[in-house]
């Protein structure tokens, strides 16, 4: 069924322009100039601020001496997804946010772009820096092939484990392939990086859903340990009347289409309302505008001071011409003949801060109004995946549905370890990588099989 009205179609090259890299790669001259600005701080606050503790001064120094292979080695040793992290990390609040240049009133060193420059050098030339360790006879399964599982698998393969990844999606990479805004990274960038893990001898079983296709009992028989890197599930529903109308999408579903289909084929309304104000909501509204939606509203029941999105993401959406409706709560989705035609909203006033310091919105009777829209996108967070994890004996879930792990990333069932979004509730790629790597090290010491043969 078509939407009531769709955004006008653009020439194909215009879509490519709209979704072009927001931080284009450096050329050698630009990289050399930027690397030369680094002060190589002894205490490296940038490294401390990086969840994977990449030795930032060391890799930048190697760029300045034109040792790009050595530079990439420093990065990938600490973070096998260094290429995508260089593109997608919220560097403003991580490494670059900690850069001492801020104290001097100068722009921070562009660590993310330099990181990408070094790793692209080895990826472009198919330089293989690491090899699988001598086989130690142990087998590990990873459920999911997102950043957490990829990092866990790479670390284990280098220590001699036979690792198999099972993922229900067609392509590996998790949200790195299917979720992150196309103007930050494309699916093919993520897939190229996955090859670094495959080259270590890791086996990928895509289109394999656990436990539908292989039971937990069978996995437990075939593998010595299992890593859960299943991420989070679909977008939460809002329980609004009219939410089942055609033209109401979950944010993940909409963004996934922008990553897996040619841009001209992605159906988008002429007028779009997105509910929510986190980073995912920003990805939705910017994607809708870049797909030529004429009017895009971001509807949020609190004020802009309370918005959970990073400040620079908000700036991006402002530049894209998104209309922000603060202190506005959706009441119902309106439709005709089963198709979205509008979103009824009510203005809110904010009460005093709650225990978490967030001001509670209260609808103000008599302030109802209707937005005429052709599409409504829910961007209010992802549901945890709980249904099948409950089938694992001993595995406990927190009240918010995330998997309970101890400081060694081990779950209540000793054979199962976990990390990434399914344990942290949804953070960044770099956090998933850090947790996947840490889980691999603890899993290795639990199995005691490593021959300390990293190559
Ligand atoms: C829209 C969006 C934009 C984002 N943008 C950024 C960004 O700009 N920068 C950033 O750093 N982070 C961003 N993130 C967050 C980042 O993508 C995640 O933190 C990261 O991907 C988490 O990795 P993960 O491996 O834990 O989970 P995921 O990447 O979600 O991977 C989980 C994998 O498990 C598979 N799986 C689940 N259940 C099963 C099953 N039963 N059987 C088999 N396979 C299964 C899934 O198919 C999936 O491939 C974004 C997230 C979203 C939703
Ligand atoms: S991985 Fe991310 S946070 Fe860490 S140094 Fe690289 S860009 Fe910065």
């Amino acid at each position: 069924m078509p939407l009531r009205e769709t955004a006008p179609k653009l020439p194909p090259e215009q879509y490519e322009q709209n979704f072009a890299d927001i931080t284009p790669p450096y050329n050698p001259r630009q990289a050399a100039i930027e690397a030369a600005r680094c002060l190589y701080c002894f205490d490296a606050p940038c490294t401390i601020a990086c969840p994977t503790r990449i030795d930032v001064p060391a890799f930048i120094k190697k760029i300045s001496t034109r040792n790009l292979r050595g530079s990439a080695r420093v990065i990938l040793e600490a973070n096998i997804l260094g290429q995508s992290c260089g593109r997608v990390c919220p560097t403003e609040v991580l490494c670059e946010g900690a850069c001492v240049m801020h104290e001097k009133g100068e722009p921070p060193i562009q660590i993310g772009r330099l990181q990408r420059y070094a790793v692209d050098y080895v990826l472009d030339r198919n330089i293989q820096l690491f090899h699988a360790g001598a086989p130690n006879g142990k087998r590990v399964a990873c459920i999911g092939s997102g950043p957490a599982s990829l990092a866990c698998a790479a670390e284990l393969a280098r220590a001699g484990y036979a690792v198999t990844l099972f993922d229900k999606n067609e392509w590996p990479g998790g949200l790195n392939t299917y979720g992150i805004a196309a103007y930050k990274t494309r699916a093919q960038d993520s897939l190229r990086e996955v090859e670094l893990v495959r080259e270590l001898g890791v086996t990928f079983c895509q289109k394999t859903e656990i436990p539908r296709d292989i039971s937990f009992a069978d996995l437990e028989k075939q593998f010595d340990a299992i890593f859960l890197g299943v991420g989070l599930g679909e977008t939460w529903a809002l329980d609004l009347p009219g939410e089942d109308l055609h033209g109401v999408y979950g944010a993940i579903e909409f963004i996934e289409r922008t990553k897996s289909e040619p841009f001209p084929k992605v159906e988008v309304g002429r007028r779009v309302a997105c509910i929510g104000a986190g980073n995912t909501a920003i990805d939705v509204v910017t994607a809708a505008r870049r797909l030529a939606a004429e009017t895009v509203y971001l509807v949020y029941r609190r004020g802009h001071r309370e918005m959970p999105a990073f400040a620079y993401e908000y700036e991006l959406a402002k530049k894209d011409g998104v209309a922000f409706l603060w202190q506005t709560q959706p009441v119902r989705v309106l439709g005709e003949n089963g198709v979205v035609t509008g979103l009824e909203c009510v203005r809110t006033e904010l009460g005093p801060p709650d225990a978490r310091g967030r001001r509670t919105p209260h609808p103000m009777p008599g302030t109802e109004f209707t937005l005429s829209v052709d599409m409504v996108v829910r961007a209010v967070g992802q549901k945890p995946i709980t249904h099948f994890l409950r089938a694992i004996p001993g595995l406990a879930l927190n009240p918010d549905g995330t998997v309970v792990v101890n400081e060694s990333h081990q779950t209540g069932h000793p054979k199962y370890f976990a990390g990434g979004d399914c344990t942290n509730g949804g953070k960044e790629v770099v956090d998933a990588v850090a947790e996947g790597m840490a889980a691999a090290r603890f899993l290795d010491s639990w199995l005691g099989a490593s021959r300390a043969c990293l190559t």
Side-chain angles (χ1 to χ4, degrees), residues 13 62 81 92 104 150 152 177 185 187 214 222 269 331 374 380 383 400 417:
E13 61 279 8
K62 285 184 163 48
L81 300 194
E92 291 80 352
K104 293 159 66 76
L150 289 171
C152 181
T177 301
T185 186
I214 306 175
Q222 291 172 36
V331 175
D374 312 296
V380 288
K383 279 188 207 166
D400 66 358
F417 289 71

Side-chain angles (χ1 to χ4, degrees), residues 319-385:
K319 272 193 213 141
D320 278 0
V322 171
F324 293 87
L325 299 180
W326 307 117
Q327 293 184 227
T328 302
Q329 186 167 318
V331 175
R332 75 183 76 241
V333 186
L334 306 171
E336 273 168 32
N337 304 321
V339 176
V340 170
T341 56
L343 182 68
E344 188 183 315
C345 301
V346 64
R347 305 285 298 172
T348 66
E349 58 187 348
L350 299 181
D354 63 13
R356 290 194 299 156
R358 299 184 84 198
R359 298 177 66 195
T360 310
H362 302 286
M364 295 197 291
T367 62
E368 291 79 4
F369 64 99
T370 298
L371 296 173
S372 172
V373 291
D374 312 296
M375 185 169 148
V376 173
V377 186
R378 293 177 270 115
V380 288
Q382 289 173 267
K383 279 188 207 166
I385 298 177

Side-chain angles (χ1 to χ4, degrees), residues 281-350:
I282 300 288
D283 289 350
V284 168
V285 292
T286 51
R289 283 289 292 145
R290 288 160 200 242
L291 287 167
E294 286 172 0
T295 309
V296 178
Y297 301 103
L298 184 144
V299 178
Y300 184 46
R301 60 200 181 127
R302 294 187 169 88
H304 85 273
R305 275 190 212 89
E306 286 83 17
M307 96 182 284
F310 293 129
Y312 65 88
E313 297 272 5
Y314 173 39
E315 290 304 318
L316 194 64
K318 279 202 286 191
K319 272 193 213 141
D320 278 0
V322 171
F324 293 87
L325 299 180
W326 307 117
Q327 293 184 227
T328 302
Q329 186 167 318
V331 175
R332 75 183 76 241
V333 186
L334 306 171
E336 273 168 32
N337 304 321
V339 176
V340 170
T341 56
L343 182 68
E344 188 183 315
C345 301
V346 64
R347 305 285 298 172
T348 66
E349 58 187 348
L350 299 181

